[in-house]
Amino acid sequence: MEIIPGRGVALAMIGDHRTRVEERVGRPGLGPAAVRPAVYDTTPKLVITYAPDDTVELVEIGYSGQGGEAEASCDGVQLTHRLIDDVVAELHAKGYTSTPCDIGYDFHAGFSVWSMRVLEAREVDPTAGEDDPRCVVEGVSVAPYGYFGGE
């Protein structure tokens, strides 16, 4: 699923009304529809936070673990289910700039890659040892950079 930095993904853009999103992807697949955020049964999972006026405020994409089209990507770079240092290095090489945050990196273009440390490095790198401390990108959040605390 290709992200559009600062805007979202083709299925859900910042500012879209919930009814438009649900016309494209259906009703949330997990929990009651009023739950915030709404989790949609797509591959990869799409998690949308709606503002009080029911417009998209934040678009998040989780890892699927399947690779390829089933992962979040940006500008030809697979973002999710990869080592965070590799993802950040590839994005920086393409000219994207970022600032570190407590769980990952916020990119000035309007997205964040992050890890809650659920996955271990050996799940994406067969040469990694049991105690390998490297983080795996488990999700991507898309919104204007200011949403993440930037200016």
Side-chain angles (χ1 to χ4, degrees), residues 61-65 71-72 78-88 91 103-105 107 112-120 124 134-141:
I61 305 99
Y63 75 93
S64 74
E71 301 296 342
Q78 179 180 319
L79 303 175
T80 51
H81 207 249
R82 292 188 58 217
L83 296 171
I84 200 166
D85 292 341
D86 293 347
V87 169
V88 171
L91 290 168
I103 60 172
Y105 291 84
F107 284 82
S112 180
V113 295
W114 47 267
S115 174
M116 299 304 291
R117 297 187 171 268
V118 172
L119 295 177
E120 296 178 3
V124 297
R134 295 177 295 169
C135 293
V136 175
V137 178
E138 296 166 356
V140 177
S141 300

Side-chain angles (χ1 to χ4, degrees), residues 31-73:
V35 168
R36 191 181 143 136
V39 179
Y40 294 92
D41 195 19
T42 58
T43 302
K45 291 281 187 230
L46 191 57
V47 179
I48 310 259
T49 300
Y50 292 98
D53 67 355
D54 261 356
T55 58
V56 176
E57 179 176 84
L58 176 69
V59 175
E60 296 182 283
I61 305 99
Y63 75 93
S64 74
Q66 299 173 20
E69 300 270 325
E71 301 296 342
S73 62

Side-chain angles (χ1 to χ4, degrees), residues 5 21 42 59 77 80 96 98 106 126 128 131 137:
V21 172
T42 58
V59 175
V77 175
T80 51
Y96 291 91
S98 66
D106 297 332
D131 296 335
V137 178

